[in-house]
Amino acid sequence: MDKITMTPIIRGAYMEALGGPVVLLSDVEERSELPELKIDLKGADNPETYTAAVRAVEAETARIIRETFAALKADDGSLPAALRVPGIGSFFAGTDWAEADSVRQGGTRRLSPLPSAGRGDVAKGRIALVTGGAQGFGAEIARGLVGAGAFVIVADINADGARVFADMLNAGGVKRASAVAVDVSNEESVKAMADAIVAEVGGLDLLVSNAGVLRAGSVLELTAKDFELVTRINYSAFFLVVKQISPVMIRQRAAAPSWTSDIVQINSKSGLEGSNKNAAYAGGKFGGIGLVQSFAMELIEYGIKVNAICPGNFFDGPLWSDPDRGLFVQYLNTGKVPGAESVADVKRYYENKVPMGRGCEGPDVLKAILYCVDQAYETGQAVPVTGGQVMLK
Ligand SMILES: NC(=O)c1ccc[n+]([C@@H]2O[C@H](COP(=O)([O-])OP(=O)(O)OC[C@H]3O[C@@H](n4cnc5c(N)ncnc54)[C@H](O)[C@@H]3O)[C@@H](O)[C@H]2O)c1
């Protein structure tokens, strides 16, 4: 079993023993002064296909690691914060990145059991991945999760944008975010992202699958190429991301049977009702809910809840409000809204379709994500966040 496979298991063992999430940094150097975790390492190296046989071997190794951790516990419940695993390297755990880093800087301190978290702490200490996190809803969600105490990985095809945004989230001098470049529609790239997250922080508790594109157009006019682009990124990529990320969550769970993790797909109100001259988008979003329901049934065995959030229109985000390419400008120029003479007229027209009279905003979506994480007794749902514009039947 190699480091990428083993790291989430060790993170899980810490979480099970301490009762809460940790950041787990690692290093290939085996520091001889650290306590040794003596285990017989069975299991494939970062397996190509995650078969039941591979999972069973990993689960057995995870059980042994869990028992070894129980034996490492002192009477006060504390554990060594740093460990050495022969043949693999050294691991450094902390309740956040800064603490784990200070352990890496040379401490051989211990970690005490974590106090039980209240509802306001639902994201605290968790590691979250937000795809398409460089701008728009993704950036709002990433910022909100950092504010709620999570460590956030901002993943985007716009590598520079993701890095600049993660730097901004870290501007207070405390590292709370990092960036990774990914094309969610390319499986190799998604796998590299999953490995990079494990190498950087040890595992993952929350995947927010947010990256998406929109190419509106009539069925009579939209090119097959645009239809396929939208389907690839909004629909097929969700399969790729879940396929490559869930093994990390499954390995953690193998060592932390009382820990659950979450997958949240940012869907749309167009996943709940059709969208005129926008079929590629609505079709992919409807399909996304089919994937969410099916993954939810399958992955609950591993403590993974899978839900979708269906936001209404984010009028203040770049998709709508970009002064050159935003939908408001486009709709004004194409005369889509009868009688509209300005961007403000177009905006008002769309706001008037919402019973609550405004567009959906980042904090509205964030609350729904926190609900999904907090709610232990729900999976496979599509939660509307539309100001009443779309109501469930
Ligand atoms: N804006 C809205 O009104 C609205 C409403 C409901 C749902 N949504 C959904 O919210 C999500 C985000 O939308 P947004 O409006 O914030 O979009 P946006 O265009 O502002 O941002 C999307 C981000 O995804 C990234 N991205 C695009 N393709 C990618 C790929 N292949 N790999 C990795 N990253 C990629 C982009 O670089 C960008 O940073 C989408 O899933 C969208 O369908 C948006």
Side-chain angles (χ1 to χ4, degrees), residues 270-308:
S270 303
L272 299 172
E273 65 177 26
S275 182
N276 192 16
K277 298 189 178 149
N278 197 13
Y281 185 78
K285 292 294 184 181
F286 266 69
I289 291 176
L291 295 180
V292 162
Q293 293 185 0
S294 308
F295 296 160
M297 288 171 181
E298 180 179 347
L299 295 177
I300 197 59
E301 179 184 349
Y302 307 101
I304 304 172
K305 294 176 280 151
V306 188
N307 290 289

Side-chain angles (χ1 to χ4, degrees), residues 29-316:
E29 188 197 337
E30 286 176 35
R31 296 204 198 152
S32 55
E33 75 276 16
L34 298 180
E36 181 184 330
L37 189 67
K38 282 202 194 85
I39 32 166
D40 182 13
L41 294 177
K42 294 206 178 71
D45 287 354
N46 205 359
E48 193 71 20
T49 310
Y50 202 40
T51 59
V54 171
R55 297 197 296 277
V57 177
E58 286 182 4
E60 179 55 14
T61 301
R63 189 188 59 76
I64 295 166
I65 292 180
R66 203 165 69 232
E67 284 173 10
T68 314
F69 265 63
L72 280 173
K73 258 190 179 180
D75 287 346
D76 64 358
S78 69
L79 282 169
L83 291 170
R84 172 169 60 95
V85 183
I88 298 278
S90 306
F91 292 94
F92 314 95
T95 51
D96 57 21
W97 192 90
E99 188 180 17
D101 188 48
S102 84
V103 172
R104 180 167 59 177
Q105 302 303 326
T108 47
R109 71 177 79 158
R110 302 182 70 82
L111 277 181
S112 297
L114 296 161
S116 57
R119 192 165 177 214
D121 291 333
V122 59
K124 195 166 168 219
R126 290 190 191 241
I127 300 175
L129 162 66
V130 183
T131 68
Q135 69 165 49
F137 265 148
E140 293 276 315
I141 293 164
R143 195 202 322 270
L145 286 172
V146 163
F151 185 94
V152 176
I153 295 116
V154 178
D156 208 289
I157 200 165
N158 174 1
D160 288 345
R163 194 179 29 77
V164 167
F165 186 61
D167 285 350
M168 216 182 77
L169 294 174
N170 292 327
V174 185
K175 188 168 163 94
R176 302 202 175 282
S178 66
V180 57
V182 70
D183 175 357
V184 290
S185 66
N186 174 313
E187 187 163 16
E188 252 175 54
S189 172
V190 173
K191 169 101 177 78
M193 168 181 74
D195 290 356
I197 293 167
V198 169
E200 187 165 2
V201 280
L204 192 71
D205 306 304
L206 167 64
L207 154 65
V208 182
S209 178
N210 163 83
V213 293
L214 187 141
R215 296 282 185 280
S218 144
V219 61
L220 306 175
E221 295 171 19
L222 190 76
T223 62
K225 194 164 164 244
D226 275 348
F227 181 87
E228 274 155 21
L229 173 84
V230 172
T231 306
R232 194 157 51 86
I233 296 172
N234 292 3
Y235 176 71
S236 309
F238 181 54
F239 162 78
L240 296 179
V241 174
V242 171
K243 180 182 171 191
Q244 294 298 339
I245 286 294
S246 17
V248 177
M249 295 172 164
I250 291 171
R251 287 172 185 138
Q252 276 172 191
R253 166 83 170 192
S258 41
W259 190 250
T260 55
S261 36
D262 284 271
I263 294 175
V264 175
Q265 189 204 40
I266 303 303
N267 199 285
S268 169
K269 70 177 172 53
S270 303
L272 299 172
E273 65 177 26
S275 182
N276 192 16
K277 298 189 178 149
N278 197 13
Y281 185 78
K285 292 294 184 181
F286 266 69
I289 291 176
L291 295 180
V292 162
Q293 293 185 0
S294 308
F295 296 160
M297 288 171 181
E298 180 179 347
L299 295 177
I300 197 59
E301 179 184 349
Y302 307 101
I304 304 172
K305 294 176 280 151
V306 188
N307 290 289
I309 290 169
C310 300
N313 295 323
F314 180 23
F315 294 137
D316 293 334

